PDB file of all heavy atoms in Angstrom:
ATOM      1  N   GLN A   2      -1.151-116.904  81.992  1.00  0.00           N
ATOM      2  CA  GLN A   2      -2.591-116.930  81.573  1.00  0.00           C
ATOM      3  C   GLN A   2      -3.165-115.553  81.508  1.00  0.00           C
ATOM      4  O   GLN A   2      -3.875-115.198  80.569  1.00  0.00           O
ATOM      5  CB  GLN A   2      -3.428-117.774  82.550  1.00  0.00           C
ATOM      6  CG  GLN A   2      -4.807-118.140  82.099  1.00  0.00           C
ATOM      7  CD  GLN A   2      -5.501-119.020  83.108  1.00  0.00           C
ATOM      8  OE1 GLN A   2      -4.980-119.395  84.122  1.00  0.00           O
ATOM      9  NE2 GLN A   2      -6.786-119.370  82.732  1.00  0.00           N
ATOM     10  N   GLN A   3      -2.854-114.675  82.459  1.00  0.00           N
ATOM     11  CA  GLN A   3      -3.256-113.302  82.388  1.00  0.00           C
ATOM     12  C   GLN A   3      -2.619-112.564  81.195  1.00  0.00           C
ATOM     13  O   GLN A   3      -3.346-111.822  80.426  1.00  0.00           O
ATOM     14  CB  GLN A   3      -2.909-112.576  83.654  1.00  0.00           C
ATOM     15  CG  GLN A   3      -3.735-112.886  84.860  1.00  0.00           C
ATOM     16  CD  GLN A   3      -3.168-112.274  86.103  1.00  0.00           C
ATOM     17  OE1 GLN A   3      -2.356-112.864  86.848  1.00  0.00           O
ATOM     18  NE2 GLN A   3      -3.556-111.040  86.419  1.00  0.00           N
ATOM     19  N   LEU A   4      -1.359-112.735  81.012  1.00  0.00           N
ATOM     20  CA  LEU A   4      -0.661-112.124  79.867  1.00  0.00           C
ATOM     21  C   LEU A   4      -1.220-112.554  78.529  1.00  0.00           C
ATOM     22  O   LEU A   4      -1.429-111.795  77.602  1.00  0.00           O
ATOM     23  CB  LEU A   4       0.840-112.360  79.967  1.00  0.00           C
ATOM     24  CG  LEU A   4       1.505-111.787  81.199  1.00  0.00           C
ATOM     25  CD1 LEU A   4       3.046-112.207  81.285  1.00  0.00           C
ATOM     26  CD2 LEU A   4       1.417-110.293  81.341  1.00  0.00           C
ATOM     27  N   ASP A   5      -1.470-113.876  78.424  1.00  0.00           N
ATOM     28  CA  ASP A   5      -2.034-114.433  77.209  1.00  0.00           C
ATOM     29  C   ASP A   5      -3.446-113.861  76.933  1.00  0.00           C
ATOM     30  O   ASP A   5      -3.839-113.672  75.756  1.00  0.00           O
ATOM     31  CB  ASP A   5      -2.119-115.977  77.257  1.00  0.00           C
ATOM     32  CG  ASP A   5      -0.800-116.616  77.206  1.00  0.00           C
ATOM     33  OD1 ASP A   5       0.176-115.932  76.829  1.00  0.00           O
ATOM     34  OD2 ASP A   5      -0.663-117.824  77.534  1.00  0.00           O
ATOM     35  N   SER A   6      -4.169-113.557  77.941  1.00  0.00           N
ATOM     36  CA  SER A   6      -5.599-113.092  77.808  1.00  0.00           C
ATOM     37  C   SER A   6      -5.650-111.738  77.158  1.00  0.00           C
ATOM     38  O   SER A   6      -6.684-111.318  76.690  1.00  0.00           O
ATOM     39  CB  SER A   6      -6.299-113.150  79.180  1.00  0.00           C
ATOM     40  OG  SER A   6      -5.848-112.043  79.964  1.00  0.00           O
ATOM     41  N   VAL A   7      -4.536-110.909  77.191  1.00  0.00           N
ATOM     42  CA  VAL A   7      -4.557-109.659  76.614  1.00  0.00           C
ATOM     43  C   VAL A   7      -3.592-109.546  75.384  1.00  0.00           C
ATOM     44  O   VAL A   7      -3.130-108.498  74.996  1.00  0.00           O
ATOM     45  CB  VAL A   7      -4.132-108.555  77.651  1.00  0.00           C
ATOM     46  CG1 VAL A   7      -5.207-108.460  78.737  1.00  0.00           C
ATOM     47  CG2 VAL A   7      -2.756-108.864  78.268  1.00  0.00           C
ATOM     48  N   SER A   8      -3.324-110.734  74.778  1.00  0.00           N
ATOM     49  CA  SER A   8      -2.428-110.751  73.654  1.00  0.00           C
ATOM     50  C   SER A   8      -2.937-109.986  72.472  1.00  0.00           C
ATOM     51  O   SER A   8      -2.147-109.643  71.529  1.00  0.00           O
ATOM     52  CB  SER A   8      -2.121-112.183  73.270  1.00  0.00           C
ATOM     53  OG  SER A   8      -3.259-112.912  72.947  1.00  0.00           O
ATOM     54  N   GLY A   9      -4.221-109.683  72.403  1.00  0.00           N
ATOM     55  CA  GLY A   9      -4.747-108.865  71.354  1.00  0.00           C
ATOM     56  C   GLY A   9      -4.113-107.481  71.274  1.00  0.00           C
ATOM     57  O   GLY A   9      -4.181-106.844  70.177  1.00  0.00           O
ATOM     58  N   LEU A  10      -3.522-107.093  72.389  1.00  0.00           N
ATOM     59  CA  LEU A  10      -2.745-105.806  72.362  1.00  0.00           C
ATOM     60  C   LEU A  10      -1.694-105.762  71.313  1.00  0.00           C
ATOM     61  O   LEU A  10      -1.270-104.701  70.824  1.00  0.00           O
ATOM     62  CB  LEU A  10      -2.157-105.582  73.783  1.00  0.00           C
ATOM     63  CG  LEU A  10      -1.436-104.299  74.060  1.00  0.00           C
ATOM     64  CD1 LEU A  10      -2.371-103.094  74.055  1.00  0.00           C
ATOM     65  CD2 LEU A  10      -0.697-104.407  75.442  1.00  0.00           C
ATOM     66  N   LEU A  11      -1.133-106.913  70.980  1.00  0.00           N
ATOM     67  CA  LEU A  11      -0.021-107.006  70.018  1.00  0.00           C
ATOM     68  C   LEU A  11      -0.434-106.753  68.601  1.00  0.00           C
ATOM     69  O   LEU A  11       0.418-106.453  67.753  1.00  0.00           O
ATOM     70  CB  LEU A  11       0.668-108.393  70.137  1.00  0.00           C
ATOM     71  CG  LEU A  11       1.270-108.819  71.477  1.00  0.00           C
ATOM     72  CD1 LEU A  11       1.671-110.282  71.501  1.00  0.00           C
ATOM     73  CD2 LEU A  11       2.435-107.899  71.779  1.00  0.00           C
ATOM     74  N   THR A  12      -1.685-106.837  68.273  1.00  0.00           N
ATOM     75  CA  THR A  12      -2.141-106.758  66.900  1.00  0.00           C
ATOM     76  C   THR A  12      -3.078-105.612  66.572  1.00  0.00           C
ATOM     77  O   THR A  12      -3.602-105.538  65.511  1.00  0.00           O
ATOM     78  CB  THR A  12      -2.774-108.077  66.488  1.00  0.00           C
ATOM     79  OG1 THR A  12      -3.950-108.393  67.358  1.00  0.00           O
ATOM     80  CG2 THR A  12      -1.832-109.253  66.540  1.00  0.00           C
ATOM     81  N   VAL A  13      -3.246-104.667  67.544  1.00  0.00           N
ATOM     82  CA  VAL A  13      -4.196-103.608  67.272  1.00  0.00           C
ATOM     83  C   VAL A  13      -3.593-102.607  66.242  1.00  0.00           C
ATOM     84  O   VAL A  13      -4.353-101.817  65.633  1.00  0.00           O
ATOM     85  CB  VAL A  13      -4.610-102.910  68.563  1.00  0.00           C
ATOM     86  CG1 VAL A  13      -5.459-103.762  69.463  1.00  0.00           C
ATOM     87  CG2 VAL A  13      -3.410-102.385  69.343  1.00  0.00           C
ATOM     88  N   LEU A  14      -2.273-102.540  66.105  1.00  0.00           N
ATOM     89  CA  LEU A  14      -1.648-101.705  65.101  1.00  0.00           C
ATOM     90  C   LEU A  14      -0.994-102.576  64.089  1.00  0.00           C
ATOM     91  O   LEU A  14      -0.057-103.336  64.390  1.00  0.00           O
ATOM     92  CB  LEU A  14      -0.592-100.768  65.784  1.00  0.00           C
ATOM     93  CG  LEU A  14      -1.092 -99.884  66.917  1.00  0.00           C
ATOM     94  CD1 LEU A  14       0.144 -99.040  67.435  1.00  0.00           C
ATOM     95  CD2 LEU A  14      -2.189 -98.936  66.498  1.00  0.00           C
ATOM     96  N   GLN A  15      -1.450-102.495  62.824  1.00  0.00           N
ATOM     97  CA  GLN A  15      -0.859-103.408  61.753  1.00  0.00           C
ATOM     98  C   GLN A  15      -0.411-102.678  60.591  1.00  0.00           C
ATOM     99  O   GLN A  15       0.443-103.225  59.839  1.00  0.00           O
ATOM    100  CB  GLN A  15      -1.975-104.387  61.416  1.00  0.00           C
ATOM    101  CG  GLN A  15      -2.392-105.344  62.533  1.00  0.00           C
ATOM    102  CD  GLN A  15      -3.373-106.373  62.041  1.00  0.00           C
ATOM    103  OE1 GLN A  15      -4.015-106.287  61.044  1.00  0.00           O
ATOM    104  NE2 GLN A  15      -3.489-107.470  62.875  1.00  0.00           N
ATOM    105  N   THR A  16      -0.822-101.460  60.355  1.00  0.00           N
ATOM    106  CA  THR A  16      -0.464-100.736  59.086  1.00  0.00           C
ATOM    107  C   THR A  16       0.069 -99.362  59.531  1.00  0.00           C
ATOM    108  O   THR A  16      -0.240 -98.870  60.609  1.00  0.00           O
ATOM    109  CB  THR A  16      -1.679-100.567  58.185  1.00  0.00           C
ATOM    110  OG1 THR A  16      -2.618 -99.679  58.738  1.00  0.00           O
ATOM    111  CG2 THR A  16      -2.319-101.894  57.904  1.00  0.00           C
ATOM    112  N   PRO A  17       0.800 -98.660  58.610  1.00  0.00           N
ATOM    113  CA  PRO A  17       1.185 -97.279  58.903  1.00  0.00           C
ATOM    114  C   PRO A  17      -0.002 -96.359  59.218  1.00  0.00           C
ATOM    115  O   PRO A  17       0.213 -95.454  60.126  1.00  0.00           O
ATOM    116  CB  PRO A  17       1.920 -96.845  57.645  1.00  0.00           C
ATOM    117  CG  PRO A  17       2.426 -98.172  57.023  1.00  0.00           C
ATOM    118  CD  PRO A  17       1.356 -99.174  57.370  1.00  0.00           C
ATOM    119  N   GLU A  18      -1.064 -96.552  58.561  1.00  0.00           N
ATOM    120  CA  GLU A  18      -2.263 -95.752  58.864  1.00  0.00           C
ATOM    121  C   GLU A  18      -2.780 -95.903  60.254  1.00  0.00           C
ATOM    122  O   GLU A  18      -3.378 -94.980  60.831  1.00  0.00           O
ATOM    123  CB  GLU A  18      -3.360 -96.058  57.873  1.00  0.00           C
ATOM    124  CG  GLU A  18      -3.097 -95.623  56.437  1.00  0.00           C
ATOM    125  CD  GLU A  18      -2.047 -96.485  55.748  1.00  0.00           C
ATOM    126  OE1 GLU A  18      -1.858 -97.652  56.144  1.00  0.00           O
ATOM    127  OE2 GLU A  18      -1.293 -95.961  54.808  1.00  0.00           O
ATOM    128  N   ASP A  19      -2.543 -97.075  60.868  1.00  0.00           N
ATOM    129  CA  ASP A  19      -2.993 -97.305  62.212  1.00  0.00           C
ATOM    130  C   ASP A  19      -2.218 -96.485  63.245  1.00  0.00           C
ATOM    131  O   ASP A  19      -2.641 -96.422  64.415  1.00  0.00           O
ATOM    132  CB  ASP A  19      -2.833 -98.803  62.602  1.00  0.00           C
ATOM    133  CG  ASP A  19      -3.789 -99.724  61.839  1.00  0.00           C
ATOM    134  OD1 ASP A  19      -4.835 -99.219  61.393  1.00  0.00           O
ATOM    135  OD2 ASP A  19      -3.482-100.923  61.677  1.00  0.00           O
ATOM    136  N   CYS A  20      -1.092 -95.917  62.859  1.00  0.00           N
ATOM    137  CA  CYS A  20      -0.229 -95.237  63.786  1.00  0.00           C
ATOM    138  C   CYS A  20      -0.542 -93.765  63.960  1.00  0.00           C
ATOM    139  O   CYS A  20       0.173 -93.040  64.596  1.00  0.00           O
ATOM    140  CB  CYS A  20       1.192 -95.363  63.267  1.00  0.00           C
ATOM    141  SG  CYS A  20       1.772 -97.047  63.214  1.00  0.00           S
ATOM    142  N   PHE A  21      -1.704 -93.343  63.454  1.00  0.00           N
ATOM    143  CA  PHE A  21      -2.117 -91.960  63.546  1.00  0.00           C
ATOM    144  C   PHE A  21      -3.313 -91.843  64.490  1.00  0.00           C
ATOM    145  O   PHE A  21      -4.228 -92.685  64.479  1.00  0.00           O
ATOM    146  CB  PHE A  21      -2.571 -91.372  62.220  1.00  0.00           C
ATOM    147  CG  PHE A  21      -1.410 -91.048  61.294  1.00  0.00           C
ATOM    148  CD1 PHE A  21      -0.790 -92.085  60.529  1.00  0.00           C
ATOM    149  CD2 PHE A  21      -0.899 -89.721  61.183  1.00  0.00           C
ATOM    150  CE1 PHE A  21       0.274 -91.801  59.733  1.00  0.00           C
ATOM    151  CE2 PHE A  21       0.146 -89.463  60.334  1.00  0.00           C
ATOM    152  CZ  PHE A  21       0.725 -90.472  59.641  1.00  0.00           C
ATOM    153  N   GLU A  22      -3.265 -90.857  65.345  1.00  0.00           N
ATOM    154  CA  GLU A  22      -4.340 -90.596  66.326  1.00  0.00           C
ATOM    155  C   GLU A  22      -4.503 -89.104  66.504  1.00  0.00           C
ATOM    156  O   GLU A  22      -3.555 -88.405  66.766  1.00  0.00           O
ATOM    157  CB  GLU A  22      -4.034 -91.233  67.658  1.00  0.00           C
ATOM    158  CG  GLU A  22      -5.073 -91.015  68.752  1.00  0.00           C
ATOM    159  CD  GLU A  22      -6.139 -92.061  68.706  1.00  0.00           C
ATOM    160  OE1 GLU A  22      -6.300 -92.770  67.728  1.00  0.00           O
ATOM    161  OE2 GLU A  22      -6.901 -92.192  69.750  1.00  0.00           O
ATOM    162  N   ASP A  23      -5.737 -88.570  66.301  1.00  0.00           N
ATOM    163  CA  ASP A  23      -5.989 -87.114  66.415  1.00  0.00           C
ATOM    164  C   ASP A  23      -5.010 -86.362  65.557  1.00  0.00           C
ATOM    165  O   ASP A  23      -4.537 -85.247  65.986  1.00  0.00           O
ATOM    166  CB  ASP A  23      -5.849 -86.743  67.898  1.00  0.00           C
ATOM    167  CG  ASP A  23      -6.897 -87.418  68.734  1.00  0.00           C
ATOM    168  OD1 ASP A  23      -7.992 -87.686  68.284  1.00  0.00           O
ATOM    169  OD2 ASP A  23      -6.586 -87.741  69.935  1.00  0.00           O
ATOM    170  N   GLY A  24      -4.679 -86.841  64.357  1.00  0.00           N
ATOM    171  CA  GLY A  24      -3.763 -86.125  63.465  1.00  0.00           C
ATOM    172  C   GLY A  24      -2.334 -86.212  63.856  1.00  0.00           C
ATOM    173  O   GLY A  24      -1.462 -85.574  63.266  1.00  0.00           O
ATOM    174  N   ILE A  25      -2.001 -87.023  64.897  1.00  0.00           N
ATOM    175  CA  ILE A  25      -0.617 -87.148  65.371  1.00  0.00           C
ATOM    176  C   ILE A  25      -0.002 -88.447  64.850  1.00  0.00           C
ATOM    177  O   ILE A  25      -0.624 -89.501  64.958  1.00  0.00           O
ATOM    178  CB  ILE A  25      -0.599 -87.195  66.906  1.00  0.00           C
ATOM    179  CG1 ILE A  25      -1.178 -85.863  67.468  1.00  0.00           C
ATOM    180  CG2 ILE A  25       0.813 -87.422  67.451  1.00  0.00           C
ATOM    181  CD1 ILE A  25      -1.442 -85.944  68.972  1.00  0.00           C
ATOM    182  N   ASP A  26       1.163 -88.354  64.306  1.00  0.00           N
ATOM    183  CA  ASP A  26       1.918 -89.538  63.864  1.00  0.00           C
ATOM    184  C   ASP A  26       2.657 -90.048  65.086  1.00  0.00           C
ATOM    185  O   ASP A  26       3.670 -89.477  65.509  1.00  0.00           O
ATOM    186  CB  ASP A  26       2.906 -89.121  62.717  1.00  0.00           C
ATOM    187  CG  ASP A  26       3.597 -90.409  62.172  1.00  0.00           C
ATOM    188  OD1 ASP A  26       3.560 -91.452  62.813  1.00  0.00           O
ATOM    189  OD2 ASP A  26       4.131 -90.274  61.037  1.00  0.00           O
ATOM    190  N   CYS A  27       2.166 -91.159  65.590  1.00  0.00           N
ATOM    191  CA  CYS A  27       2.699 -91.618  66.877  1.00  0.00           C
ATOM    192  C   CYS A  27       4.059 -92.264  66.807  1.00  0.00           C
ATOM    193  O   CYS A  27       4.678 -92.597  67.762  1.00  0.00           O
ATOM    194  CB  CYS A  27       1.718 -92.641  67.496  1.00  0.00           C
ATOM    195  SG  CYS A  27       0.105 -91.950  67.892  1.00  0.00           S
ATOM    196  N   ARG A  28       4.583 -92.358  65.583  1.00  0.00           N
ATOM    197  CA  ARG A  28       5.900 -92.861  65.316  1.00  0.00           C
ATOM    198  C   ARG A  28       7.008 -91.751  65.509  1.00  0.00           C
ATOM    199  O   ARG A  28       8.168 -92.054  65.568  1.00  0.00           O
ATOM    200  CB  ARG A  28       6.015 -93.501  63.934  1.00  0.00           C
ATOM    201  CG  ARG A  28       5.050 -94.611  63.665  1.00  0.00           C
ATOM    202  CD  ARG A  28       5.040 -94.956  62.219  1.00  0.00           C
ATOM    203  NE  ARG A  28       4.558 -93.835  61.360  1.00  0.00           N
ATOM    204  CZ  ARG A  28       4.419 -93.884  60.043  1.00  0.00           C
ATOM    205  NH1 ARG A  28       4.738 -94.944  59.370  1.00  0.00           N
ATOM    206  NH2 ARG A  28       3.951 -92.784  59.378  1.00  0.00           N
ATOM    207  N   ASN A  29       6.557 -90.557  65.630  1.00  0.00           N
ATOM    208  CA  ASN A  29       7.470 -89.439  65.599  1.00  0.00           C
ATOM    209  C   ASN A  29       7.593 -88.804  67.008  1.00  0.00           C
ATOM    210  O   ASN A  29       6.977 -89.243  67.934  1.00  0.00           O
ATOM    211  CB  ASN A  29       7.027 -88.376  64.608  1.00  0.00           C
ATOM    212  CG  ASN A  29       8.161 -87.758  63.849  1.00  0.00           C
ATOM    213  OD1 ASN A  29       9.262 -87.581  64.420  1.00  0.00           O
ATOM    214  ND2 ASN A  29       7.941 -87.412  62.590  1.00  0.00           N
ATOM    215  N   TYR A  30       8.426 -87.786  67.093  1.00  0.00           N
ATOM    216  CA  TYR A  30       8.599 -87.010  68.346  1.00  0.00           C
ATOM    217  C   TYR A  30       7.388 -86.244  68.659  1.00  0.00           C
ATOM    218  O   TYR A  30       6.445 -86.039  67.858  1.00  0.00           O
ATOM    219  CB  TYR A  30       9.756 -86.025  68.178  1.00  0.00           C
ATOM    220  CG  TYR A  30      11.141 -86.546  68.030  1.00  0.00           C
ATOM    221  CD1 TYR A  30      11.963 -86.027  67.052  1.00  0.00           C
ATOM    222  CD2 TYR A  30      11.615 -87.446  68.925  1.00  0.00           C
ATOM    223  CE1 TYR A  30      13.303 -86.513  66.918  1.00  0.00           C
ATOM    224  CE2 TYR A  30      12.889 -87.947  68.805  1.00  0.00           C
ATOM    225  CZ  TYR A  30      13.752 -87.464  67.819  1.00  0.00           C
ATOM    226  OH  TYR A  30      15.040 -87.934  67.656  1.00  0.00           O
ATOM    227  N   GLY A  31       7.276 -85.805  69.918  1.00  0.00           N
ATOM    228  CA  GLY A  31       6.189 -84.893  70.362  1.00  0.00           C
ATOM    229  C   GLY A  31       5.271 -85.470  71.385  1.00  0.00           C
ATOM    230  O   GLY A  31       5.353 -86.610  71.755  1.00  0.00           O
ATOM    231  N   GLU A  32       4.371 -84.604  71.865  1.00  0.00           N
ATOM    232  CA  GLU A  32       3.431 -84.970  72.934  1.00  0.00           C
ATOM    233  C   GLU A  32       4.051 -85.552  74.153  1.00  0.00           C
ATOM    234  O   GLU A  32       3.745 -86.681  74.573  1.00  0.00           O
ATOM    235  CB  GLU A  32       2.340 -85.929  72.303  1.00  0.00           C
ATOM    236  CG  GLU A  32       1.672 -85.445  71.098  1.00  0.00           C
ATOM    237  CD  GLU A  32       0.834 -84.115  71.274  1.00  0.00           C
ATOM    238  OE1 GLU A  32       0.336 -83.956  72.395  1.00  0.00           O
ATOM    239  OE2 GLU A  32       0.780 -83.358  70.419  1.00  0.00           O
ATOM    240  N   LEU A  33       4.912 -84.735  74.747  1.00  0.00           N
ATOM    241  CA  LEU A  33       5.681 -85.238  75.893  1.00  0.00           C
ATOM    242  C   LEU A  33       4.773 -85.717  77.022  1.00  0.00           C
ATOM    243  O   LEU A  33       5.015 -86.757  77.690  1.00  0.00           O
ATOM    244  CB  LEU A  33       6.622 -84.169  76.435  1.00  0.00           C
ATOM    245  CG  LEU A  33       7.362 -84.451  77.764  1.00  0.00           C
ATOM    246  CD1 LEU A  33       8.257 -85.688  77.601  1.00  0.00           C
ATOM    247  CD2 LEU A  33       8.223 -83.241  78.147  1.00  0.00           C
ATOM    248  N   ALA A  34       3.679 -85.034  77.274  1.00  0.00           N
ATOM    249  CA  ALA A  34       2.772 -85.351  78.356  1.00  0.00           C
ATOM    250  C   ALA A  34       1.788 -86.514  78.012  1.00  0.00           C
ATOM    251  O   ALA A  34       0.999 -86.901  78.818  1.00  0.00           O
ATOM    252  CB  ALA A  34       1.975 -84.146  78.797  1.00  0.00           C
ATOM    253  N   GLY A  35       1.991 -87.038  76.781  1.00  0.00           N
ATOM    254  CA  GLY A  35       1.163 -88.186  76.403  1.00  0.00           C
ATOM    255  C   GLY A  35       0.204 -87.874  75.345  1.00  0.00           C
ATOM    256  O   GLY A  35      -0.201 -86.682  75.151  1.00  0.00           O
ATOM    257  N   LEU A  36      -0.273 -88.867  74.607  1.00  0.00           N
ATOM    258  CA  LEU A  36      -1.286 -88.692  73.572  1.00  0.00           C
ATOM    259  C   LEU A  36      -2.570 -88.128  74.225  1.00  0.00           C
ATOM    260  O   LEU A  36      -2.944 -88.622  75.317  1.00  0.00           O
ATOM    261  CB  LEU A  36      -1.646 -89.985  72.906  1.00  0.00           C
ATOM    262  CG  LEU A  36      -0.667 -90.581  71.862  1.00  0.00           C
ATOM    263  CD1 LEU A  36      -1.159 -91.948  71.375  1.00  0.00           C
ATOM    264  CD2 LEU A  36      -0.541 -89.604  70.711  1.00  0.00           C
ATOM    265  N   PRO A  37      -3.230 -87.209  73.596  1.00  0.00           N
ATOM    266  CA  PRO A  37      -4.532 -86.699  74.193  1.00  0.00           C
ATOM    267  C   PRO A  37      -5.515 -87.873  74.496  1.00  0.00           C
ATOM    268  O   PRO A  37      -6.134 -87.786  75.564  1.00  0.00           O
ATOM    269  CB  PRO A  37      -5.109 -85.811  73.057  1.00  0.00           C
ATOM    270  CG  PRO A  37      -3.845 -85.312  72.353  1.00  0.00           C
ATOM    271  CD  PRO A  37      -2.901 -86.434  72.361  1.00  0.00           C
ATOM    272  N   SER A  38      -5.556 -88.868  73.599  1.00  0.00           N
ATOM    273  CA  SER A  38      -6.480 -89.991  73.922  1.00  0.00           C
ATOM    274  C   SER A  38      -6.019 -90.815  75.125  1.00  0.00           C
ATOM    275  O   SER A  38      -6.819 -91.324  75.912  1.00  0.00           O
ATOM    276  CB  SER A  38      -6.630 -90.898  72.697  1.00  0.00           C
ATOM    277  OG  SER A  38      -5.293 -91.361  72.294  1.00  0.00           O
ATOM    278  N   ALA A  39      -4.675 -90.933  75.347  1.00  0.00           N
ATOM    279  CA  ALA A  39      -4.181 -91.647  76.516  1.00  0.00           C
ATOM    280  C   ALA A  39      -4.420 -90.877  77.768  1.00  0.00           C
ATOM    281  O   ALA A  39      -4.775 -91.437  78.853  1.00  0.00           O
ATOM    282  CB  ALA A  39      -2.655 -91.942  76.302  1.00  0.00           C
ATOM    283  N   ARG A  40      -4.268 -89.550  77.700  1.00  0.00           N
ATOM    284  CA  ARG A  40      -4.554 -88.728  78.901  1.00  0.00           C
ATOM    285  C   ARG A  40      -6.032 -88.747  79.216  1.00  0.00           C
ATOM    286  O   ARG A  40      -6.461 -88.819  80.422  1.00  0.00           O
ATOM    287  CB  ARG A  40      -4.141 -87.300  78.600  1.00  0.00           C
ATOM    288  CG  ARG A  40      -2.616 -87.130  78.338  1.00  0.00           C
ATOM    289  CD  ARG A  40      -2.193 -85.740  78.051  1.00  0.00           C
ATOM    290  NE  ARG A  40      -2.135 -84.943  79.299  1.00  0.00           N
ATOM    291  CZ  ARG A  40      -1.840 -83.658  79.340  1.00  0.00           C
ATOM    292  NH1 ARG A  40      -1.523 -82.994  78.237  1.00  0.00           N
ATOM    293  NH2 ARG A  40      -1.776 -82.984  80.533  1.00  0.00           N
ATOM    294  N   ALA A  41      -6.919 -88.777  78.203  1.00  0.00           N
ATOM    295  CA  ALA A  41      -8.355 -88.871  78.440  1.00  0.00           C
ATOM    296  C   ALA A  41      -8.678 -90.276  78.985  1.00  0.00           C
ATOM    297  O   ALA A  41      -9.591 -90.350  79.913  1.00  0.00           O
ATOM    298  CB  ALA A  41      -9.074 -88.681  77.121  1.00  0.00           C
ATOM    299  N   TYR A  42      -7.998 -91.276  78.583  1.00  0.00           N
ATOM    300  CA  TYR A  42      -8.270 -92.619  79.106  1.00  0.00           C
ATOM    301  C   TYR A  42      -7.964 -92.707  80.601  1.00  0.00           C
ATOM    302  O   TYR A  42      -8.800 -93.196  81.387  1.00  0.00           O
ATOM    303  CB  TYR A  42      -7.391 -93.722  78.380  1.00  0.00           C
ATOM    304  CG  TYR A  42      -7.431 -94.996  79.079  1.00  0.00           C
ATOM    305  CD1 TYR A  42      -8.510 -95.886  78.843  1.00  0.00           C
ATOM    306  CD2 TYR A  42      -6.381 -95.421  79.882  1.00  0.00           C
ATOM    307  CE1 TYR A  42      -8.515 -97.131  79.517  1.00  0.00           C
ATOM    308  CE2 TYR A  42      -6.370 -96.661  80.582  1.00  0.00           C
ATOM    309  CZ  TYR A  42      -7.457 -97.514  80.341  1.00  0.00           C
ATOM    310  OH  TYR A  42      -7.505 -98.726  80.979  1.00  0.00           O
ATOM    311  N   TRP A  43      -6.820 -92.143  81.018  1.00  0.00           N
ATOM    312  CA  TRP A  43      -6.483 -92.198  82.431  1.00  0.00           C
ATOM    313  C   TRP A  43      -7.383 -91.291  83.229  1.00  0.00           C
ATOM    314  O   TRP A  43      -7.707 -91.599  84.413  1.00  0.00           O
ATOM    315  CB  TRP A  43      -5.011 -91.873  82.643  1.00  0.00           C
ATOM    316  CG  TRP A  43      -4.112 -93.045  82.423  1.00  0.00           C
ATOM    317  CD1 TRP A  43      -3.132 -93.149  81.487  1.00  0.00           C
ATOM    318  CD2 TRP A  43      -4.104 -94.279  83.187  1.00  0.00           C
ATOM    319  NE1 TRP A  43      -2.530 -94.424  81.596  1.00  0.00           N
ATOM    320  CE2 TRP A  43      -3.073 -95.089  82.604  1.00  0.00           C
ATOM    321  CE3 TRP A  43      -4.831 -94.716  84.282  1.00  0.00           C
ATOM    322  CZ2 TRP A  43      -2.829 -96.377  83.161  1.00  0.00           C
ATOM    323  CZ3 TRP A  43      -4.582 -95.991  84.768  1.00  0.00           C
ATOM    324  CH2 TRP A  43      -3.559 -96.801  84.211  1.00  0.00           C
ATOM    325  N   ALA A  44      -7.758 -90.123  82.696  1.00  0.00           N
ATOM    326  CA  ALA A  44      -8.705 -89.277  83.358  1.00  0.00           C
ATOM    327  C   ALA A  44     -10.015 -90.044  83.630  1.00  0.00           C
ATOM    328  O   ALA A  44     -10.631 -89.865  84.725  1.00  0.00           O
ATOM    329  CB  ALA A  44      -8.949 -88.000  82.598  1.00  0.00           C
TER     330      ALA A  44
END
């Protein structure tokens, strides 16, 4: 029930354009310490 309640996580990325964040193509190498937005989220 908990896992089902967050199933929207599966559909937030649907197109190639959705895979870019802060000019970073998240499908590619790089950003070893994490996406800037992910680091800001945890901060």
Side-chain angles (χ1 to χ4, degrees):
Q2 192 177 0
Q3 287 172 267
L4 299 175
D5 289 345
S6 74
V7 294
S8 58
L10 182 67
L11 297 171
T12 57
V13 291
L14 302 181
Q15 297 185 340
T16 69
E18 289 73 26
D19 291 335
C20 299
F21 286 80
E22 179 85 345
D23 298 326
I25 299 167
D26 187 342
C27 298
R28 300 169 298 180
N29 217 326
Y30 292 132
E32 304 298 328
L33 174 58
L36 284 177
S38 57
R40 299 179 76 181
Y42 169 79
W43 278 117

